[in-house]
Amino acid sequence: MGDHRITILPGDGTGKEVAVEAQRILDTIQNHTNHGFEQTVIPCGGEHYLNTGEEWAEGSFEFCRDETDAIFLGAIGHPGARLPNGDLAGGSVILGLRSGLDLYANVRPIKLYEGVPHKVHGGFRQIWEPGMVDMTILRENTEGLYHALLRRSADRAQGRPEYEPEAMSFPGLDGEVAYDPRPISKAGSERLIRMGFDIAETRNGAPADGVRRVSCIDKSNVTRGCQLFRRTFDEVAANYPGTEKDYGYIDAFMQWLTRNPEHYDVVVTSNMFGDISTDLGAVLQGGMGMAASGNIGDDHAFFEPVHGSAPKHAGQNKVNPIASINSIQMMMDYLGRKTGDDELVKVGRMIDESVADHLRSGTELTYDLGGTTSCSAVGEGIAVRLAAKLSEEF
Ligand code: IPM
Ligand code: MN
């Protein structure tokens, strides 16, 4: 089968450690199937900026755009690394790609595997059966409260003059005022919501009742952008009569997500709400070390663990590589569906099964799941399981 060009952006802190584990999974697939991956590693991030004066080498954005089939990003963020304008150093990479490649959906699955304790009490108590948390949140990824920052980052990544929103005045506010406009467009909402309904068709419905359900999470009782988002949701939903429509305000959703996660199947929401709610979602699946994501558009995609660079854990080979391994799982599913290669979709499922088997065995867990095993040993353990499955199948 065809080869795929994969660009690896390790980034900062623990991102570099988990990127190695993502690559180990790619190598394992390559060694046990006839799928080949041409991997290119590009150094980048906040620390790279402090060392070199560049967030990444010139031409990197174009390489990701023109010579890459899928991207893996470790994490961006280094303590004290800010650009002269105050923006996050490394933002050209994460935000520049989200906006510059028009990756309008940030797809974040939230699934509690058997053998993994959720973190609702910050401890290791089990409230739900593992099967009760299995949903996917789609966070709009190009507009909303991040819009200006995203545009600015994409402009910088492509060497264009950086966008600044028009100056605005606010009646009743005096002195210095800082603001982030929150534009929400109908077209931007529509494509995100449509992807949500399409993803629902590939899933098994909500854990509680098996009903295929898409929940629209907004604050349409107060904000205009959310009113447009919800109206667009209803229009899109009309084309999917077999899927249940569901609504919630973001504040109430925070409660229901914690109290009744089994109600949720697919959730669509705006940018900032998705950023916040998926961190809570991560708590339900055993912590940030378990949270994978895909930034997906019509022509490009990048996959990243949600946890960030976690500077205080960096350099200790201790963080959980599963968020990254599951991001590769999402990458295989994406590449497989995009190229009509069912075998690669199957490889994605086999990564999921390898992770599930590893976790079910209850040994060799990283510190965040109550174990003492290192990042690389967990990565290796899962790769060994995957290799065995692949050799049996192919
Ligand atoms: C995330 C992160 C990013 C975001 C940061 C690093 C800019 O929190 O991917 O959720 O806010 O989107
Ligand atoms: Mn976040």
Side-chain angles (χ1 to χ4, degrees):
M1 295 300 281
D3 277 8
H4 299 281
R5 301 164 302 172
I6 311 295
T7 298
I8 308 284
L9 304 167
D12 290 308
T14 57
K16 290 187 243 195
E17 295 161 44
V18 293
V20 172
E21 300 314 316
Q23 290 193 272
R24 194 201 295 272
I25 297 296
L26 290 173
D27 293 341
T28 304
I29 299 165
Q30 172 157 298
N31 292 340
H32 293 88
T33 66
N34 45 20
H35 292 90
F37 301 108
E38 200 185 299
Q39 299 179 45
T40 306
V41 179
I42 301 182
C44 57
E47 191 179 13
H48 186 78
Y49 173 78
L50 292 182
N51 293 334
T52 65
E54 291 182 318
E55 297 172 274
W56 49 1
E58 215 184 307
S60 299
F61 174 84
E62 289 74 14
F63 186 86
C64 290
R65 184 188 61 198
D66 303 332
E67 285 164 76
T68 301
D69 298 314
I71 301 164
F72 174 85
L73 170 65
I76 294 294
H78 185 73
R82 291 265 150 201
L83 300 175
N85 71 356
D87 285 353
L88 174 79
S92 294
V93 183
I94 183 168
L95 302 166
L97 287 172
R98 284 179 184 170
S99 174
L101 299 182
D102 208 16
L103 310 177
Y104 56 85
N106 197 323
V107 180
R108 298 185 160 181
I110 296 168
K111 168 169 156 177
L112 182 64
Y113 284 90
E114 197 183 327
V116 175
H118 67 72
K119 299 237 164 157
V120 171
H121 297 276
F124 297 109
R125 276 212 279 161
Q126 196 74 45
I127 301 174
W128 310 295
E129 297 300 313
M132 289 170 78
V133 180
D134 188 351
M135 73 188 85
T136 291
I137 298 187
L138 276 77
R139 162 190 181 187
E140 202 292 322
N141 214 27
T142 54
E143 49 187 53
L145 204 51
Y146 281 65
H147 176 257
L149 171 63
L150 284 162
R151 293 298 298 202
R152 212 159 49 233
S153 308
D155 289 337
R156 199 167 61 244
Q158 292 168 83
R160 296 191 301 238
E162 293 178 25
Y163 167 75
E164 278 296 338
E166 298 270 309
M168 288 176 73
S169 66
F170 300 90
L173 302 190
D174 301 320
E176 188 177 346
V177 178
Y179 53 90
D180 304 273
R182 181 188 178 244
I184 290 188
S185 75
K186 186 172 173 70
S189 305
E190 193 179 317
R191 59 189 187 169
L192 175 89
I193 294 163
R194 187 172 308 119
M195 192 189 288
F197 277 90
D198 288 342
I199 287 179
E201 294 190 339
T202 69
R203 294 173 44 87
N204 303 317
D209 49 15
V211 170
R212 181 177 295 158
R213 175 178 295 123
V214 180
S215 305
C216 176
I217 300 301
D218 57 46
K219 191 72 181 172
S220 56
N221 50 341
V222 290
T223 74
R224 288 186 176 163
C226 284
Q227 286 157 8
L228 175 58
F229 188 84
R230 188 176 282 210
R231 190 152 39 83
T232 308
F233 175 83
D234 282 331
E235 287 174 21
V236 173
N239 301 312
Y240 296 86
T243 301
E244 187 180 293
K245 295 193 286 179
D246 183 52
Y247 305 93
Y249 297 139
I250 182 65
D251 46 353
F253 176 57
M254 295 293 84
Q255 290 190 54
W256 292 118
L257 182 59
T258 317
R259 290 170 59 171
N260 274 91
E262 66 273 22
H263 173 73
Y264 295 100
D265 176 13
V266 171
V267 172
V268 291
T269 192
S270 54
N271 203 337
M272 188 82 241
F273 294 162
D275 180 46
I276 298 168
S277 57
T278 53
D279 271 27
L280 173 53
V283 172
L284 312 185
Q285 66 182 143
M288 297 299 279
M290 293 299 298
S293 76
N295 297 259
I296 300 178
D298 291 333
D299 302 319
H300 303 277
F302 86 76
F303 300 85
E304 55 168 341
V306 183
H307 53 63
S309 60
K312 71 174 181 211
H313 300 310
Q316 298 168 53
N317 188 24
K318 66 180 280 202
V319 298
N320 191 344
I322 292 177
S324 289
I325 292 171
N326 279 346
S327 298
I328 296 295
Q329 173 194 322
M330 294 179 77
M331 182 192 283
M332 294 303 111
D333 187 76
Y334 164 83
L335 287 172
R337 287 178 199 275
K338 190 170 175 171
T339 59
D341 181 347
D342 293 341
E343 219 172 273
L344 218 46
V345 174
K346 189 164 199 178
V347 168
R349 276 202 298 275
M350 291 165 87
I351 299 175
D352 179 57
E353 287 159 16
S354 306
V355 169
D357 289 352
H358 183 91
L359 291 166
R360 202 178 297 116
S361 79
T363 54
E364 304 217 315
L365 303 177
T366 43
Y367 80 98
D368 54 316
L369 301 182
T372 55
T373 307
S374 68
C375 174
S376 51
V378 170
E380 201 180 329
I382 293 170
V384 167
R385 287 177 195 274
L386 177 63
K389 285 186 201 294
L390 291 169
S391 341
E392 209 173 285
E393 181 77 29
F394 298 110

Short mmCIF file of all heavy atoms in Angstrom, two decimals, residues 138 189 192-193 197 213-220 225-234 237 244-250 253 263-264 266-270 273:
data_model
loop_
_atom_site.label_atom_id
_atom_site.label_comp_id
_atom_site.label_asym_id
_atom_site.label_seq_id
_atom_site.Cartn_x
_atom_site.Cartn_y
_atom_site.Cartn_z
N LEU A 138 -16.34 17.87 19.69
CA LEU A 138 -15.77 18.63 18.58
C LEU A 138 -15.74 20.10 18.97
O LEU A 138 -16.80 20.71 19.19
CB LEU A 138 -16.58 18.48 17.30
CG LEU A 138 -16.27 17.25 16.44
CD1 LEU A 138 -16.90 16.02 17.06
CD2 LEU A 138 -16.76 17.45 15.02
N SER A 189 -19.57 27.40 11.64
CA SER A 189 -20.34 26.54 12.54
C SER A 189 -20.88 25.34 11.78
O SER A 189 -20.83 24.20 12.27
CB SER A 189 -21.53 27.32 13.14
OG SER A 189 -21.06 28.50 13.77
N LEU A 192 -18.36 22.50 11.06
CA LEU A 192 -18.03 21.78 12.30
C LEU A 192 -19.18 20.86 12.72
O LEU A 192 -18.98 19.67 13.04
CB LEU A 192 -17.74 22.77 13.44
CG LEU A 192 -17.51 22.04 14.76
CD1 LEU A 192 -16.06 21.69 14.94
CD2 LEU A 192 -18.03 22.83 15.95
N ILE A 193 -20.38 21.41 12.71
CA ILE A 193 -21.55 20.65 13.16
C ILE A 193 -21.79 19.46 12.22
O ILE A 193 -22.08 18.34 12.66
CB ILE A 193 -22.78 21.58 13.24
CG1 ILE A 193 -22.56 22.64 14.35
CG2 ILE A 193 -24.06 20.78 13.48
CD1 ILE A 193 -23.48 23.85 14.27
N PHE A 197 -22.09 15.39 13.14
CA PHE A 197 -23.13 14.42 12.77
C PHE A 197 -22.54 13.26 11.98
O PHE A 197 -22.96 12.12 12.14
CB PHE A 197 -24.25 15.13 11.99
CG PHE A 197 -25.26 15.80 12.89
CD1 PHE A 197 -25.09 17.11 13.30
CD2 PHE A 197 -26.36 15.09 13.35
CE1 PHE A 197 -26.01 17.73 14.14
CE2 PHE A 197 -27.29 15.69 14.21
CZ PHE A 197 -27.11 17.02 14.60
N ARG A 213 -26.58 10.40 19.23
CA ARG A 213 -27.02 11.71 19.73
C ARG A 213 -25.92 12.74 19.49
O ARG A 213 -24.75 12.47 19.75
CB ARG A 213 -27.28 11.57 21.23
CG ARG A 213 -27.63 12.84 21.96
CD ARG A 213 -27.91 12.57 23.45
NE ARG A 213 -29.08 11.74 23.64
CZ ARG A 213 -29.10 10.57 24.29
NH1 ARG A 213 -28.01 10.11 24.88
NH2 ARG A 213 -30.20 9.86 24.37
N VAL A 214 -26.30 13.92 19.01
CA VAL A 214 -25.34 15.03 18.92
C VAL A 214 -25.85 16.15 19.81
O VAL A 214 -27.00 16.59 19.68
CB VAL A 214 -25.13 15.53 17.48
CG1 VAL A 214 -24.12 16.68 17.46
CG2 VAL A 214 -24.62 14.38 16.58
N SER A 215 -25.01 16.60 20.75
CA SER A 215 -25.39 17.64 21.69
C SER A 215 -24.76 18.97 21.27
O SER A 215 -23.56 19.03 21.04
CB SER A 215 -24.92 17.28 23.11
OG SER A 215 -25.42 16.01 23.48
N CYS A 216 -25.58 19.99 21.21
CA CYS A 216 -25.11 21.34 20.86
C CYS A 216 -24.89 22.10 22.18
O CYS A 216 -25.83 22.33 22.93
CB CYS A 216 -26.18 22.02 20.03
SG CYS A 216 -25.81 23.74 19.62
N ILE A 217 -23.64 22.42 22.47
CA ILE A 217 -23.33 23.08 23.74
C ILE A 217 -22.93 24.53 23.46
O ILE A 217 -21.99 24.80 22.70
CB ILE A 217 -22.19 22.34 24.48
CG1 ILE A 217 -22.61 20.89 24.77
CG2 ILE A 217 -21.81 23.08 25.76
CD1 ILE A 217 -23.86 20.70 25.61
N ASP A 218 -23.67 25.46 24.06
CA ASP A 218 -23.47 26.87 23.74
C ASP A 218 -23.90 27.72 24.92
O ASP A 218 -24.12 27.22 26.02
CB ASP A 218 -24.26 27.23 22.47
CG ASP A 218 -25.74 26.93 22.64
OD1 ASP A 218 -26.32 27.29 23.69
OD2 ASP A 218 -26.32 26.30 21.73
N LYS A 219 -24.04 29.00 24.69
CA LYS A 219 -24.57 29.92 25.70
C LYS A 219 -25.55 30.82 24.96
O LYS A 219 -25.43 32.05 24.97
CB LYS A 219 -23.39 30.68 26.35
CG LYS A 219 -23.75 31.48 27.58
CD LYS A 219 -24.04 30.64 28.82
CE LYS A 219 -24.42 31.56 29.97
NZ LYS A 219 -24.90 30.83 31.16
N SER A 220 -26.49 30.16 24.26
CA SER A 220 -27.38 30.91 23.38
C SER A 220 -28.46 31.66 24.16
O SER A 220 -29.22 32.42 23.58
CB SER A 220 -28.01 29.97 22.35
OG SER A 220 -28.68 28.93 23.00
N GLY A 225 -23.37 35.11 19.11
CA GLY A 225 -22.62 34.10 18.36
C GLY A 225 -23.20 32.71 18.62
O GLY A 225 -23.33 31.90 17.71
N CYS A 226 -23.56 32.46 19.86
CA CYS A 226 -24.11 31.15 20.21
C CYS A 226 -25.51 30.97 19.65
O CYS A 226 -25.93 29.84 19.35
CB CYS A 226 -24.11 30.97 21.72
SG CYS A 226 -22.48 30.62 22.37
N GLN A 227 -26.25 32.07 19.51
CA GLN A 227 -27.58 31.95 18.91
C GLN A 227 -27.45 31.50 17.45
O GLN A 227 -28.18 30.65 16.98
CB GLN A 227 -28.35 33.28 19.03
CG GLN A 227 -28.81 33.51 20.47
CD GLN A 227 -29.06 34.97 20.81
OE1 GLN A 227 -29.04 35.84 19.95
NE2 GLN A 227 -29.28 35.23 22.08
N LEU A 228 -26.47 32.08 16.77
CA LEU A 228 -26.22 31.67 15.38
C LEU A 228 -25.76 30.22 15.32
O LEU A 228 -26.20 29.44 14.47
CB LEU A 228 -25.16 32.60 14.74
CG LEU A 228 -24.71 32.24 13.33
CD1 LEU A 228 -25.90 32.22 12.36
CD2 LEU A 228 -23.66 33.24 12.84
N PHE A 229 -24.90 29.85 16.25
CA PHE A 229 -24.39 28.48 16.31
C PHE A 229 -25.55 27.49 16.48
O PHE A 229 -25.66 26.50 15.76
CB PHE A 229 -23.38 28.36 17.46
CG PHE A 229 -22.63 27.05 17.49
CD1 PHE A 229 -21.49 26.88 16.72
CD2 PHE A 229 -23.03 26.01 18.32
CE1 PHE A 229 -20.77 25.67 16.75
CE2 PHE A 229 -22.33 24.80 18.36
CZ PHE A 229 -21.20 24.64 17.57
N ARG A 230 -26.47 27.80 17.40
CA ARG A 230 -27.57 26.87 17.66
C ARG A 230 -28.56 26.81 16.49
O ARG A 230 -29.04 25.74 16.14
CB ARG A 230 -28.30 27.25 18.96
CG ARG A 230 -29.32 26.20 19.35
CD ARG A 230 -30.00 26.47 20.66
NE ARG A 230 -29.16 26.12 21.82
CZ ARG A 230 -29.67 25.71 22.98
NH1 ARG A 230 -30.98 25.59 23.15
NH2 ARG A 230 -28.86 25.46 23.99
N ARG A 231 -28.80 27.96 15.89
CA ARG A 231 -29.69 28.00 14.72
C ARG A 231 -29.09 27.14 13.61
O ARG A 231 -29.79 26.38 12.94
CB ARG A 231 -29.85 29.47 14.28
CG ARG A 231 -30.90 29.72 13.28
CD ARG A 231 -31.51 31.14 13.34
NE ARG A 231 -30.61 32.25 13.61
CZ ARG A 231 -29.85 32.87 12.70
NH1 ARG A 231 -29.86 32.47 11.45
NH2 ARG A 231 -29.08 33.88 13.05
N THR A 232 -27.79 27.27 13.42
CA THR A 232 -27.11 26.48 12.38
C THR A 232 -27.16 25.00 12.72
O THR A 232 -27.35 24.15 11.84
CB THR A 232 -25.64 26.96 12.26
OG1 THR A 232 -25.66 28.38 12.10
CG2 THR A 232 -24.96 26.33 11.07
N PHE A 233 -27.04 24.70 13.99
CA PHE A 233 -27.13 23.31 14.45
C PHE A 233 -28.47 22.70 14.02
O PHE A 233 -28.52 21.60 13.48
CB PHE A 233 -26.97 23.26 15.98
CG PHE A 233 -27.16 21.90 16.59
CD1 PHE A 233 -26.12 20.98 16.63
CD2 PHE A 233 -28.39 21.53 17.13
CE1 PHE A 233 -26.30 19.72 17.19
CE2 PHE A 233 -28.58 20.28 17.69
CZ PHE A 233 -27.52 19.37 17.71
N ASP A 234 -29.54 23.44 14.26
CA ASP A 234 -30.87 22.92 13.90
C ASP A 234 -30.98 22.69 12.40
O ASP A 234 -31.58 21.70 11.96
CB ASP A 234 -31.96 23.90 14.36
CG ASP A 234 -32.22 23.76 15.85
OD1 ASP A 234 -32.02 22.65 16.40
OD2 ASP A 234 -32.61 24.76 16.48
N ALA A 237 -28.91 19.59 11.56
CA ALA A 237 -29.52 18.39 12.16
C ALA A 237 -30.70 17.88 11.32
O ALA A 237 -30.96 16.67 11.27
CB ALA A 237 -29.98 18.69 13.58
N GLU A 244 -30.43 11.81 17.24
CA GLU A 244 -31.15 12.65 18.20
C GLU A 244 -30.43 13.97 18.41
O GLU A 244 -29.21 14.00 18.56
CB GLU A 244 -31.27 11.90 19.54
CG GLU A 244 -32.15 12.62 20.54
CD GLU A 244 -32.24 11.84 21.86
OE1 GLU A 244 -32.82 10.73 21.86
OE2 GLU A 244 -31.73 12.34 22.87
N LYS A 245 -31.20 15.06 18.44
CA LYS A 245 -30.64 16.39 18.75
C LYS A 245 -30.73 16.60 20.25
O LYS A 245 -31.71 16.21 20.88
CB LYS A 245 -31.47 17.50 18.10
CG LYS A 245 -31.47 17.52 16.61
CD LYS A 245 -32.06 18.83 16.12
CE LYS A 245 -33.59 18.88 16.30
NZ LYS A 245 -34.16 20.17 15.85
N ASP A 246 -29.74 17.28 20.77
CA ASP A 246 -29.71 17.51 22.21
C ASP A 246 -29.08 18.88 22.42
O ASP A 246 -28.24 19.31 21.62
CB ASP A 246 -28.85 16.39 22.84
CG ASP A 246 -28.77 16.43 24.34
OD1 ASP A 246 -29.83 16.48 24.98
OD2 ASP A 246 -27.64 16.41 24.88
N TYR A 247 -29.48 19.58 23.47
CA TYR A 247 -28.98 20.93 23.70
C TYR A 247 -28.51 21.10 25.13
O TYR A 247 -29.05 20.47 26.04
CB TYR A 247 -30.10 21.97 23.47
CG TYR A 247 -30.75 21.87 22.13
CD1 TYR A 247 -31.90 21.09 21.96
CD2 TYR A 247 -30.24 22.56 21.04
CE1 TYR A 247 -32.51 21.00 20.72
CE2 TYR A 247 -30.84 22.47 19.80
CZ TYR A 247 -31.99 21.69 19.64
OH TYR A 247 -32.58 21.59 18.42
N GLY A 248 -27.54 21.98 25.32
CA GLY A 248 -27.17 22.33 26.69
C GLY A 248 -26.42 23.66 26.71
O GLY A 248 -25.75 24.01 25.73
N TYR A 249 -26.57 24.39 27.78
CA TYR A 249 -25.75 25.58 27.98
C TYR A 249 -24.44 25.14 28.60
O TYR A 249 -24.41 24.19 29.41
CB TYR A 249 -26.46 26.59 28.89
CG TYR A 249 -27.76 27.11 28.30
CD1 TYR A 249 -28.88 27.28 29.09
CD2 TYR A 249 -27.85 27.44 26.94
CE1 TYR A 249 -30.08 27.75 28.56
CE2 TYR A 249 -29.04 27.92 26.40
CZ TYR A 249 -30.15 28.07 27.22
OH TYR A 249 -31.32 28.53 26.69
N ILE A 250 -23.38 25.84 28.26
CA ILE A 250 -22.05 25.40 28.69
C ILE A 250 -21.93 25.27 30.21
O ILE A 250 -21.30 24.33 30.71
CB ILE A 250 -20.93 26.34 28.12
CG1 ILE A 250 -19.54 25.87 28.53
CG2 ILE A 250 -21.15 27.80 28.50
CD1 ILE A 250 -19.10 24.55 27.98
N PHE A 253 -23.74 22.21 31.19
CA PHE A 253 -23.04 21.06 30.61
C PHE A 253 -21.90 20.60 31.52
O PHE A 253 -21.64 19.40 31.65
CB PHE A 253 -22.50 21.45 29.22
CG PHE A 253 -21.67 20.38 28.55
CD1 PHE A 253 -22.18 19.11 28.31
CD2 PHE A 253 -20.38 20.67 28.12
CE1 PHE A 253 -21.42 18.13 27.67
CE2 PHE A 253 -19.62 19.71 27.47
CZ PHE A 253 -20.13 18.43 27.25
N HIS A 263 -24.65 10.00 29.10
CA HIS A 263 -25.67 10.58 28.21
C HIS A 263 -25.07 11.04 26.88
O HIS A 263 -25.77 11.15 25.88
CB HIS A 263 -26.31 11.78 28.93
CG HIS A 263 -27.26 12.57 28.08
ND1 HIS A 263 -28.51 12.11 27.73
CD2 HIS A 263 -27.12 13.79 27.49
CE1 HIS A 263 -29.11 13.02 26.98
NE2 HIS A 263 -28.30 14.05 26.82
N TYR A 264 -23.75 11.31 26.87
CA TYR A 264 -23.16 11.98 25.71
C TYR A 264 -22.51 11.04 24.71
O TYR A 264 -21.80 10.11 25.09
CB TYR A 264 -22.15 13.05 26.18
CG TYR A 264 -22.86 14.14 26.95
CD1 TYR A 264 -22.86 14.16 28.35
CD2 TYR A 264 -23.60 15.11 26.27
CE1 TYR A 264 -23.55 15.13 29.05
CE2 TYR A 264 -24.31 16.08 26.97
CZ TYR A 264 -24.28 16.09 28.35
OH TYR A 264 -24.98 17.04 29.04
N VAL A 266 -21.82 12.48 20.85
CA VAL A 266 -21.00 13.48 20.16
C VAL A 266 -21.46 14.85 20.66
O VAL A 266 -22.66 15.09 20.84
CB VAL A 266 -21.15 13.39 18.63
CG1 VAL A 266 -20.48 14.56 17.93
CG2 VAL A 266 -20.56 12.06 18.13
N VAL A 267 -20.50 15.73 20.91
CA VAL A 267 -20.80 17.08 21.38
C VAL A 267 -20.15 18.07 20.42
O VAL A 267 -18.99 17.89 20.03
CB VAL A 267 -20.21 17.29 22.80
CG1 VAL A 267 -20.33 18.74 23.25
CG2 VAL A 267 -20.87 16.36 23.81
N VAL A 268 -20.89 19.08 20.00
CA VAL A 268 -20.29 20.15 19.17
C VAL A 268 -20.37 21.46 19.94
O VAL A 268 -21.38 21.77 20.57
CB VAL A 268 -20.99 20.29 17.80
CG1 VAL A 268 -20.71 19.07 16.92
CG2 VAL A 268 -22.49 20.51 17.93
N THR A 269 -19.28 22.23 19.90
CA THR A 269 -19.26 23.47 20.67
C THR A 269 -18.25 24.46 20.08
O THR A 269 -17.46 24.10 19.21
CB THR A 269 -19.00 23.17 22.17
OG1 THR A 269 -19.25 24.35 22.95
CG2 THR A 269 -17.56 22.71 22.41
N SER A 270 -18.29 25.67 20.57
CA SER A 270 -17.41 26.72 20.04
C SER A 270 -16.02 26.60 20.67
O SER A 270 -15.79 25.80 21.58
CB SER A 270 -18.03 28.09 20.30
OG SER A 270 -18.33 28.22 21.67
N PHE A 273 -15.23 27.26 24.66
CA PHE A 273 -16.00 26.30 25.46
C PHE A 273 -15.43 24.89 25.28
O PHE A 273 -15.40 24.08 26.22
CB PHE A 273 -17.48 26.31 25.07
CG PHE A 273 -18.20 27.59 25.38
CD1 PHE A 273 -19.41 27.89 24.76
CD2 PHE A 273 -17.69 28.51 26.29
CE1 PHE A 273 -20.09 29.07 25.05
CE2 PHE A 273 -18.37 29.69 26.58
CZ PHE A 273 -19.57 29.97 25.96
#
